[in-house]
Amino acid sequence: MSFSPNLIVLGEYLAGKFDNREQALADPAWFVHLQLWQRPVNLFTEDSITLFAEQANIVNLDRPYRQRIMRLMWGGGSDGALQVQYYMLKNPSAFTSAGRHPALLETLTVDQLDLLPGCILTIEQTTIATNKHKFTASQPPNTRCCFSYLNQIVQVSLGFDSTETKLNSYDKGIDSDTGKATWGAILGPYCYTKREQY
């Protein structure tokens, strides 16, 4: 199947190695210096571009966390909108540090993933210059992204916007009882710059 040009551009913008060095230096009390890897993986190739994402504190690159699979695809509506569907790894430890060591991803199969039904984002695309775009991803109204982790139900609020070299992440952990953010982009997005294209 051939992919729409918009889907291909979104995949190119999101694939890469990123960090938020400038933000962490400017405001270290609120923003940890993170490195983020988003590597293409050979899954759902019939209709999607799929990325493995993992991040780590710059001082603990050997202890990455927040592994996830992002499946970029056409939403199926008449408007041609794109979507991002998130998945969890059934055995995350088998792929620890795959962001830095992508050979680990060669054994990853669809059977090793759990679909996260409420964890889907709708993408809006804006043209900001000739052949330059901004993609904004947000959760549809009245949806909840929840998953089980260490025998607890975790709720997160997901979202990002991306240009060719910048990625702003609005991901936050949510207290299910109060609805308040407990970690992540509480005071604003984590502002990443792409350092390497994958």
Side-chain angles (χ1 to χ4, degrees):
M1 175 180 185
S2 62
F3 295 150
S4 75
N6 294 347
L7 181 61
I8 292 169
V9 172
L10 175 63
E12 289 173 351
Y13 281 15
L14 292 178
K17 180 169 80 170
F18 302 80
D19 71 42
N20 69 326
R21 178 174 60 230
E22 293 82 1
Q23 181 184 46
L25 289 171
D27 201 353
W30 290 107
F31 292 98
V32 175
H33 187 180
L34 299 175
Q35 192 153 94
L36 170 67
W37 300 268
Q38 296 191 151
R39 290 197 176 269
V41 290
N42 199 24
L43 301 175
F44 306 111
T45 54
E46 69 281 358
D47 64 359
S48 310
I49 295 171
T50 306
L51 302 171
F52 166 86
E54 185 176 56
Q55 68 191 50
N57 186 314
I58 203 78
V59 299
N60 290 309
L61 291 178
D62 59 337
R63 295 206 326 247
Y65 60 97
R66 282 207 69 215
Q67 297 167 314
R68 55 216 176 271
I69 299 294
M70 303 165 65
R71 181 181 180 187
L72 317 177
M73 58 190 176
W74 176 56
S78 59
D79 59 359
L82 302 176
Q83 293 182 336
V84 181
Q85 172 67 65
Y86 285 79
Y87 295 76
M88 270 182 83
L89 297 164
K90 290 179 179 176
N91 182 14
S93 61
F95 299 96
T96 297
S97 295
R100 291 174 69 199
H101 306 289
L104 292 169
L105 296 170
E106 292 172 10
T107 62
L108 181 62
T109 65
V110 172
D111 295 344
Q112 294 167 298
L113 307 180
D114 282 329
L115 174 70
L116 300 174
C119 303
I120 192 162
L121 303 179
T122 302
I123 307 285
E124 286 186 24
Q125 179 182 344
T126 307
T127 300
I128 53 179
T130 303
N131 296 321
K132 304 284 182 190
H133 307 278
K134 179 180 180 181
F135 295 94
T136 303
S138 57
Q139 286 181 235
N142 304 314
T143 60
R144 284 168 45 113
C145 176
C146 298
F147 55 91
S148 178
Y149 180 71
L150 299 176
N151 297 318
Q152 292 191 334
I153 298 298
V154 177
Q155 181 181 346
V156 293
S157 172
L158 300 172
F160 64 82
D161 59 61
S162 178
T163 61
E164 190 172 16
T165 59
K166 302 289 184 184
L167 173 65
N168 294 328
S169 172
Y170 297 87
D171 293 358
K172 297 185 279 289
I174 302 295
D175 183 311
S176 299
D177 295 327
T178 66
K180 301 219 168 175
T182 57
W183 56 261
I186 296 173
L187 294 181
Y190 273 76
C191 300
Y192 295 99
T193 299
K194 184 179 287 191
R195 307 299 181 186
E196 196 175 319
Q197 177 71 47
Y198 296 150

